Amino acid sequence: MFDTILIANRGEIACRVIRTARAMGLRTVAVYSDADAESLHVALADEAVRIGGPRPADSYLRADRILAAAHETGAQAIHPGYGFLSENPDFVEAVEAAGLVFIGPSAAAIRAMGLKDAAKALMDKAGVPVVPGYMGANQDPAHLQVQADAIGYPVLIKAVAGGGGKGMRLVERAADFADALTSAQGEAATAFGNAAVLIEKYIQQPRHIEVQVFGDGNRAVHLFERDCSLQRRHQKVIEEAPAPGMTAEMRAAMGEAAVRAAEAIGYKGAGTVEFIVDGSNGLRPDGFWFMEMNTRLQVEHPVTEEITGVDLVEWQIRVAAGESLPARQKDLTITGHAFEARLYAEDVPAGFLPATGTLDHLWFPEGARIESGVRQGDTISPWYDPMIAKIVAHGPTRAVALARLSAALAATQVAGSVTNLDFLGALTRHAGFAAGQVDTGLIGRDLAALIAPPALRAETVALAALTALGAAPGQGFTQWTPLWQAVTLETGDTTCRCAVARTGAGWTVRVDDTQLTAEHRGGQWWIAGRRAPGVALRRGDRVSVFGATTVHFTQPDPLLRDLDHGAGAGVVLAPMPGLVKAVFVAPGAAVEKGARLAILEAMKMEHTLTAGRDGTVAEVLAQPGQQVEAGAALIALAEE
């Protein structure tokens, strides 16, 4: 067994590996970019080495600097985490050539599964069912169009070197294929340096079920399945294990297929075999097909750990050190049910746009497993994935586990950035999801209801007003005269005009035309005779009320209230920091509402910017290749 491990990653997964390594008595070395100098994984590791600038290409993708850091600190092994270099076979070979141990599969195994078309051909040969499609080398657009027509619509275009939904497009009509192909190839070339795509039949009511496998290079076992069907933009939102509706016959068939896949390539370490499943008529042994194999530890591995009692990172380290499989298939069992929700800094109503910001306040409840790489006061960087945390809940049954997840999300408090917290909570309360009726289209079908803000309660506004004016027992209001103190609060498009007065042992709060009593007792606010609907926090001119849903209020500056906020209505702004990838219009061009104007590349994704109204382009203020900040004006339309 080695005594020092370098983690060639950052954020949540680096913290996760450090925790297990420390429990095993091993030293850990962190690497960091300039953007991560004060990050949590740097603070947790025994030693940390700077490897470059904030761009991944200047730091976390620099194999030479990572290897130099390993030699400098005496590390004997490198854990890649997920993302970055974790599935790069050239990096594996460089690690081994440097006399170090790569904690993961061989370069040959990664290459075998790295290109989706080659992997499907290999799996077909190994007797693993694959989805009908085209996986050939001919990438001529006309040829690909013919293949798609032959397969029959809808079809899915996928980057052969892809992952995370990048380079993927759903095409429902032949007339849309050419544009979708161009877009997918462009995104694939940017993300992976490889524009090649494959085409496969799109399953109409698909479920995404994956099987966790683990091998020692000779034998492999499976640690049952995870259902990852709740997705948006082809990226997972909530995962669970085991899959709802799974039968013993289906589990055995999928598990055996996954083990065949792993053993066919001599797989070593933790990996995931992903299947697309037809959920239209229940789960059937003849209704699943191989999609791809992820030759690394998955983001959602905690749900498997929760139901099996296995520490997969510990297994990775032990097998990399030369041990054989830590367990036999018959030793592995399922206990209870587990869910994982991915908490992101992102603007859900705006189309799940990644967001940045400083986490002014961050608090998680006890009772849930929290996997996070950030702390209160940290900044969500525009350079990396905007994940804040993974919130994991386990229970003896699916219903209990889901209730615990819902309660954990309701008790989680985040301020300083927009997040998907309320959206996740709405998903846990979705009747179909609670009943186990899951497929990859659920979010898309019910998106309007899932993102609809609940009615703003007067009690919530009253709590915000009390907090904004500093009301607290024994201080703040004690010097007031009985006069009313006014405060205006804004949330979204809603303006609330409030007033608060100290009345005896309590307070009276007016919210527009509604008057409520308030008192502070037992360490909590009580409003209109009932416990307040959450807890509130003030930061500067912002007040956040945390509860089943989170409401953020702003106190507008009265000196600025008369400014014209509509002046920029005809200006397209960058919704986040990013790189202008393409501009499709020129000054003088006539555009219709919804027309594509530009593409902004940010946080590993391409975002299409469209016209908010009909009009004529007056100015193009940014050019392809230009790095812009959030809020930068990109294209201006002529005044109407």
Side-chain angles (χ1 to χ4, degrees), residues 197 273 359 361 380 440 451 491 545 617:
V197 299
V273 182
L359 299 173
H361 178 70
I380 303 297
T440 58
I451 67 175
T491 177
V545 178
V617 176

Side-chain angles (χ1 to χ4, degrees), residues 482-507:
L483 297 177
W484 290 92
Q485 302 293 308
V487 61
T488 298
L489 299 171
E490 295 180 345
T491 177
D493 297 328
T494 302
T495 298
C496 304
R497 291 172 175 81
C498 310
V500 179
R502 184 70 181 264
T503 52
W507 288 264

Side-chain angles (χ1 to χ4, degrees), residues 59-425:
S59 51
Y60 297 108
L61 295 175
R62 287 294 299 270
D64 56 336
R65 295 182 182 176
I66 291 171
L67 293 175
H71 286 302
E72 175 187 333
T73 57
Q76 301 108 359
I78 294 180
H79 194 299
Y82 52 71
F84 295 130
L85 294 170
S86 63
E87 294 181 280
N88 186 317
D90 295 335
F91 179 60
V92 177
E93 291 172 341
V95 169
E96 294 172 346
L100 306 172
V101 175
F102 181 77
I103 302 177
S106 67
I110 294 175
R111 284 196 176 97
M113 291 295 181
L115 296 178
K116 290 184 174 64
D117 50 356
K120 287 190 174 184
L122 178 62
M123 291 299 97
D124 189 39
K125 185 177 180 181
V128 179
V130 298
V131 179
Y134 174 75
M135 299 171 285
N138 188 339
Q139 293 290 302
D140 178 72
H143 180 74
L144 294 175
Q145 175 90 57
V146 170
Q147 296 300 319
D149 294 345
I151 294 167
Y153 296 91
V155 299
L156 203 59
I157 301 172
K158 298 172 69 173
V160 299
K166 290 176 283 295
M168 183 183 297
R169 298 291 185 274
L170 171 63
V171 186
E172 300 188 82
R173 302 183 308 152
D176 299 332
F177 183 83
D179 286 346
L181 176 63
T182 300
S183 178
Q185 288 175 327
E187 191 169 83
T190 298
F192 314 111
N194 184 346
V197 299
L198 60 83
I199 305 169
E200 62 183 30
K201 180 67 177 175
Y202 182 73
I203 309 301
Q204 293 283 16
Q205 291 187 325
R207 288 179 61 178
H208 180 148
I209 300 178
E210 58 190 32
V211 176
Q212 176 72 60
V213 294
F214 202 98
D216 61 8
N218 297 308
R219 296 183 302 110
V221 296
H222 70 85
L223 289 88
F224 313 108
E225 79 282 350
R226 298 184 288 258
D227 195 305
C228 305
S229 298
L230 278 193
Q231 301 181 8
R232 48 88 176 142
R233 295 171 63 172
H234 304 294
Q235 291 187 314
K236 302 165 188 174
V237 177
I238 294 180
E239 303 98 354
E240 63 180 298
M246 180 60 68
T247 65
E249 184 183 17
M250 177 79 159
R251 176 173 292 128
M254 294 186 74
E256 290 167 6
V259 168
R260 283 200 304 273
E263 292 183 343
I265 58 173
Y267 196 78
K268 183 177 182 179
T272 300
V273 182
E274 299 191 1
F275 295 99
I276 190 75
V277 178
D278 182 356
S280 59
N281 292 303
L283 300 183
R284 310 178 313 279
D286 63 347
F288 70 92
W289 302 273
F290 173 86
M291 282 201 305
E292 61 184 320
M293 182 175 185
N294 292 298
T295 51
R296 54 169 166 79
L297 195 67
Q298 287 280 89
V299 176
E300 58 272 23
H301 75 274
V303 293
T304 294
E305 293 183 326
E306 290 296 311
I307 66 166
T308 61
V310 169
D311 184 329
L312 288 168
V313 175
E314 178 186 337
W315 275 28
Q316 284 185 299
I317 294 171
R318 289 171 58 187
V319 168
E323 294 186 24
S324 57
L325 274 173
R328 298 167 296 178
Q329 190 67 58
K330 66 179 182 179
D331 300 325
L332 298 168
T333 57
I334 296 175
T335 300
H337 204 98
F339 287 91
E340 173 185 290
R342 302 188 187 191
L343 177 61
Y344 277 98
E346 63 182 8
D347 190 338
V348 175
F352 298 94
L353 286 178
T356 57
T358 298
L359 299 173
D360 298 326
H361 178 70
L362 182 64
W363 184 85
F364 297 104
E366 295 182 357
R369 173 176 171 176
I370 306 299
E371 298 286 352
S372 180
V374 295
R375 303 153 293 185
Q376 181 169 299
D378 285 352
T379 297
I380 303 297
S381 169
W383 297 104
Y384 314 114
D385 186 87
M387 179 185 286
I388 297 173
K390 301 184 305 194
I391 301 173
V392 186
H394 179 265
T397 66
R398 186 177 188 270
V400 171
L402 185 58
R404 288 176 176 172
L405 176 65
S406 186
L409 291 169
T412 295
Q413 302 174 9
V414 189
S417 174
V418 296
T419 74
N420 66 341
L421 181 59
D422 288 346
F423 172 70
L424 295 173

Side-chain angles (χ1 to χ4, degrees), residues 386-595:
M387 179 185 286
I388 297 173
K390 301 184 305 194
I391 301 173
V392 186
H394 179 265
T397 66
R398 186 177 188 270
V400 171
L402 185 58
R404 288 176 176 172
L405 176 65
S406 186
L409 291 169
T412 295
Q413 302 174 9
V414 189
S417 174
V418 296
T419 74
N420 66 341
L421 181 59
D422 288 346
F423 172 70
L424 295 173
L427 277 171
T428 65
R429 299 186 294 271
H430 186 281
F433 182 51
Q437 300 166 3
V438 295
D439 64 75
T440 58
L442 184 148
I443 290 177
R445 288 193 304 271
D446 295 342
L447 184 60
L450 290 168
I451 67 175
L456 187 60
R457 297 173 57 188
E459 292 85 351
T460 300
V461 181
L463 178 59
L466 288 163
T467 305
L469 291 173
Q475 63 182 20
F477 281 33
T478 56
Q479 298 178 12
W480 284 14
T481 65
L483 297 177
W484 290 92
Q485 302 293 308
V487 61
T488 298
L489 299 171
E490 295 180 345
T491 177
D493 297 328
T494 302
T495 298
C496 304
R497 291 172 175 81
C498 310
V500 179
R502 184 70 181 264
T503 52
W507 288 264
T508 300
V509 185
R510 288 178 183 160
V511 178
D512 295 325
D513 298 326
T514 302
Q515 186 162 301
L516 305 100
T517 59
E519 59 179 326
H520 198 278
R521 54 186 169 89
Q524 296 177 315
W525 281 106
W526 292 72
I527 299 175
R530 303 181 65 180
R531 197 195 320 265
V535 295
L537 175 76
R538 178 181 177 182
R539 288 285 191 273
D541 64 349
R542 298 182 179 183
V543 177
S544 299
V545 178
F546 305 107
T549 59
T550 300
V551 185
H552 298 292
F553 296 90
T554 301
Q555 289 178 255
D557 187 335
L559 297 178
L560 301 177
R561 291 189 61 81
D562 294 330
L563 291 179
D564 179 12
H565 294 289
V571 179
V572 177
L573 306 178
M576 69 199 80
L579 179 74
V580 178
K581 184 75 177 297
V583 176
F584 302 115
V585 293
V591 296
E592 295 181 351
K593 181 179 179 179

